[in-house]
Amino acid sequence: VILMAHSAGGWLARAAMADGTWGIDDETGEEIKTTDRIQCLVTLGAIHKVPGSGKEDTCVTRGCLKYTDETYPGAFLEKEGVKYITVGGAAIVGDNRKDQELQTDADELYSDRGEGSAPRVAFTSYEAVCGNGSCIGDGVVPFEWTQLDGARNIELEGVLHSINEAGTTLPTDRWYGSDGVIDRWLPAVLEETGLSKGKGTGTGGGEGSSSPFETLQDWASELLASVTDKNSAVSERRDAIQKMSAISILPLLSLNPVLSNAMYENAPVAVSDIIRLPSGVTYQDLRQGDGEVVSEGKRVNIQWSLKRSNGYIIDSSANNDGVPFIFIVGGDGTSAGTGGDTRAIQGLDEGIRGMRVGGIRRIVMPPSLAFVEGVEDGMPGPIPVGFGPKQRIQRVMKLRADVPDESFLLDVKPTRVQK
């Protein structure tokens, strides 16, 4: 397969490929090589290095990336036949000045939230990733950090990290998966894997192709057509291969922005203006609900997704089997008959009021109104269960709580309200 990995998936893929041993065949007991499974690794906006400038200890992977890079450095399996292609965007220069001119809708949104501008948000992210905020990158990852020694490294001017502007609901048509951007890096993938007739032109697929997708589609069709019906078992395998190929290939052929989390359903675009509360909490409705209203004293079930202001996901209820967080609005943890502490962090408690069941709201809160207590105890919440997500929260609270532009983004969807 051609293994494609975006963001943190890049170094995780390198770790999974490891030293070239994929596993042991259960039937024969023979060793399976990684090259038997993977032809090419393509990383998009991935972090391939630990922070520089003596800040290795601040790496959010807690040493995992450092171990991977030291144990399987660069294009580690290139000599065994695995191709490596890294793609990095060069769109935004990090700039921490507060007096910048607002030039885009994203800048206006960041300004309304007290985060400054896209260059300031990028500065914060770059500084966390590489130790230097004043460099160029895709708005989240510095370009230099997306490159891997020994790989075919591609720089894409003007390309951003995500389907939305970092940490917002503003969609963009210039991220790695946008149609026009795919055409700028896919030809290199087709060439490296022998699926293209072109040699280094970087202009597309085979002769006469209007898009490199046509080459990939032709290859998939020929692959499936080559399977013959020798017997019913072969026919069944062919049907299975066709289904699996459709599942594997179609996502690549339609990398348009889609929110896969069922919590969001059909609501990726904000439907209200940003509201700023006196405390500093801001919120914006992504979808209006039509159920019971959330108000003081009500017991609320919510689905939630927690991110940092640079767009990095910390955790969500979807990652925990969809178990809702339940709390009492305005609760102090002493409500009788509730089975224990039922408090929410202050930013959530303030920002959720007025919502209706079925709605979705993005609440942005400074660290001082978020996880100031109880991270290890699990309350006030929502507190992630896993060690890693808790560490991400504590890292922000300990190291970045006083940074003016730092904030937590909490998307919430009330699913039940009781008196």
Side-chain angles (χ1 to χ4, degrees):
V1 299
I2 299 172
L3 180 59
M4 307 186 70
H6 176 247
S7 197
W11 72 264
L12 289 170
R14 291 168 57 202
M17 290 163 60
D19 62 357
T21 301
W22 188 263
I24 303 297
D25 190 296
D26 292 334
E27 295 182 358
T28 66
E30 295 181 353
E31 182 179 270
I32 302 173
K33 294 289 188 180
T34 298
T35 49
D36 296 331
R37 296 288 185 265
I38 297 175
Q39 181 182 13
C40 179
L41 171 62
V42 183
T43 67
L44 307 169
I47 303 173
H48 287 304
K49 306 176 185 178
V50 297
S53 304
K55 297 185 178 182
E56 292 84 356
D57 293 340
T58 67
C59 180
V60 295
T61 68
R62 296 183 60 82
C64 295
L65 174 55
K66 182 179 181 181
Y67 173 83
T68 299
D69 200 39
E70 291 179 348
T71 309
Y72 316 116
F76 190 72
L77 300 178
E78 181 186 24
K79 292 183 179 179
E80 295 188 23
V82 177
K83 304 291 185 180
Y84 289 78
I85 299 175
T86 69
V87 183
I92 302 176
V93 176
D95 189 339
N96 202 33
R97 293 177 300 167
K98 296 183 178 180
D99 57 348
Q100 299 176 53
E101 181 180 352
L102 304 182
Q103 299 181 348
T104 67
D105 291 342
D107 287 338
E108 295 284 354
L109 180 56
Y110 293 134
S111 178
D112 288 343
R113 294 199 317 214
E115 296 173 336
S117 62
R120 289 200 75 194
V121 172
F123 181 94
T124 300
S125 182
Y126 297 164
E127 188 175 47
V129 172
C130 74
N132 174 24
S134 301
C135 53
I136 192 169
D138 60 14
V140 174
V141 180
F143 170 72
E144 183 181 346
W145 256 243
T146 67
Q147 307 298 278
L148 189 64
D149 290 340
R152 180 168 177 176
N153 297 311
I154 299 173
E155 178 180 356
L156 297 181
E157 183 178 350
V159 172
L160 299 175
H161 188 79
S162 306
I163 60 174
N164 293 331
E165 299 279 353
T168 77
T169 57
L170 297 175
T172 177
D173 60 359
R174 55 190 185 110
W175 82 290
Y176 297 106
S178 299
D179 288 343
V181 177
I182 293 175
D183 288 344
R184 295 168 61 186
W185 57 259
L186 184 57
V189 177
L190 300 179
E191 181 183 333
E192 289 292 329
T193 54
L195 299 177
S196 172
K197 297 179 181 178
K199 296 297 181 181
T201 60
T203 58
E207 183 178 355
S209 295
S210 60
S211 167
F213 285 134
E214 294 183 12
T215 299
L216 196 59
Q217 288 173 312
D218 291 342
W219 168 75
S221 298
E222 291 173 5
L223 178 66
L224 297 176
S226 66
V227 183
T228 58
D229 288 328
K230 293 183 178 180
N231 52 48
S232 59
V234 172
S235 178
E236 291 177 3
R237 284 199 298 272
R238 181 197 62 188
D239 292 339
I241 290 173
Q242 288 176 329
K243 292 176 181 178
M244 287 187 293
S245 297
I247 293 171
S248 300
I249 294 170
L250 287 178
L252 176 61
L253 301 181
S254 58
L255 287 171
N256 292 318
V258 176
L259 288 171
S260 58
N261 191 331
M263 167 180 153
Y264 293 92
E265 297 174 359
N266 297 314
V269 180
V271 296
S272 75
D273 293 331
I274 295 175
I275 306 298
R276 180 181 295 276
L277 302 178
S279 64
V281 171
T282 65
Y283 66 80
Q284 187 174 32
D285 287 315
L286 308 184
R287 185 176 70 189
Q288 301 287 356
D290 56 6
E292 186 78 19
V293 177
V294 177
S295 59
E296 178 81 16
K298 297 290 183 68
R299 184 181 176 91
V300 185
N301 294 28
I302 66 167
Q303 295 292 316
W304 57 273
S305 177
L306 179 66
K307 305 175 185 178
R308 285 184 56 188
S309 54
N310 60 13
Y312 281 126
I313 296 177
I314 295 175
D315 205 359
S316 68
S317 54
N319 289 341
N320 294 278
D321 299 322
V323 176
F325 172 57
I326 305 173
F327 67 101
I328 294 177
V329 180
D332 58 7
T334 61
S335 301
T338 60
D341 197 339
T342 53
R343 292 177 295 155
I345 54 176
Q346 184 177 343
L348 169 59
D349 193 90
E350 293 184 9
I352 197 173
R353 300 176 187 230
M355 288 190 71
R356 290 181 176 272
V357 169
I360 301 173
R361 177 174 290 179
R362 172 159 294 176
I363 303 171
V364 181
M365 65 195 80
S368 60
L369 299 178
F371 303 97
V372 294
E373 61 173 324
V375 174
E376 294 299 334
D377 301 327
M379 197 66 67
I383 300 289
V385 175
F387 174 80
K390 285 184 178 179
Q391 288 298 303
R392 295 183 198 116
I393 290 175
Q394 290 179 330
R395 191 174 298 275
V396 172
M397 297 304 298
K398 291 178 180 179
L399 301 179
R400 304 193 60 81
D402 296 328
V403 176
D405 296 335
E406 189 66 57
S407 58
F408 288 102
L409 279 64
L410 183 62
D411 293 348
V412 298
K413 177 181 179 180
T415 56
R416 187 179 184 186
V417 174
Q418 296 174 282
K419 295 181 179 180

